Amino acid sequence: SHQCTHVVHPMAEPPLARPCRPNLFWHSESFLISSMGDSIRIIRILASKAGTSEQLPGRETSGGPSRLSIDTMASFRAGGPIGGVAPFGKDLLLLATPPGDEGAGSEDLPEVRIVSSSNDVLASDVLQGDDRAGCGLAG
């Protein structure tokens, strides 16, 4: 009694110079945050039984197994490769590399950003240092 779904992430245009690993993070029992390349999706997973929706993903209810519903609640692009994503209260915390020419100095330094679920940047700061992390990879 497992359910599988395919989450399509848009490919960057032009393709990213360095590959980025996908990231998954549970925000709560029903919300999953997914990032791949430069795109982010907030996914809601609900269990439903006989036309009702309960926030019990993958669990059995008193009347037997429940069926899962998987919906994309928000989807946006960060404008550059994402090395990591995590919930930060109601917002998201991103480790991202700003768009620009790779190897062009400070444009290649990773940033920590706090963004809303509608991709409004609430705060950001460049991580200073000699590491060029882009996508969490040593470069």
Side-chain angles (χ1 to χ4, degrees):
S1 67
H2 291 77
Q3 182 172 342
C4 217
T5 191
H6 178 74
V7 177
V8 177
H9 279 275
M11 299 311 291
E13 295 288 335
L16 299 173
R18 287 187 269 190
C20 294
R21 63 182 170 83
N23 293 281
L24 294 173
F25 199 99
W26 284 103
H27 187 273
S28 68
E29 202 171 90
S30 300
F31 285 92
L32 181 67
I33 301 168
S34 165
S35 73
M36 187 179 342
D38 67 346
S39 67
I40 296 172
R41 292 195 187 243
I42 301 172
I43 302 164
R44 181 177 64 182
I45 302 174
L46 295 175
S48 61
K49 177 151 177 72
T52 64
S53 291
E54 301 174 34
Q55 295 188 2
L56 300 169
R59 297 190 183 165
E60 289 195 13
T61 58
S62 59
S66 59
R67 183 179 172 109
L68 296 178
S69 167
I70 301 171
D71 299 308
T72 298
M73 303 306 295
S75 176
F76 58 89
R77 296 179 103 150
I82 301 168
V85 62
F88 187 76
K90 293 182 180 182
D91 303 312
L92 300 174
L93 180 75
L94 304 179
L95 175 62
T97 303
D101 298 330
E102 295 212 11
S106 64
E107 294 181 58
D108 204 25
L109 289 173
E111 293 181 337
V112 173
R113 295 183 206 156
I114 299 173
V115 299
S116 68
S117 60
S118 59
N119 199 24
D120 294 323
V121 177
L122 306 174
S124 68
D125 195 10
V126 174
L127 297 177
Q128 297 295 325
D130 293 333
D131 294 333
R132 304 280 192 255
C135 279
L137 303 174

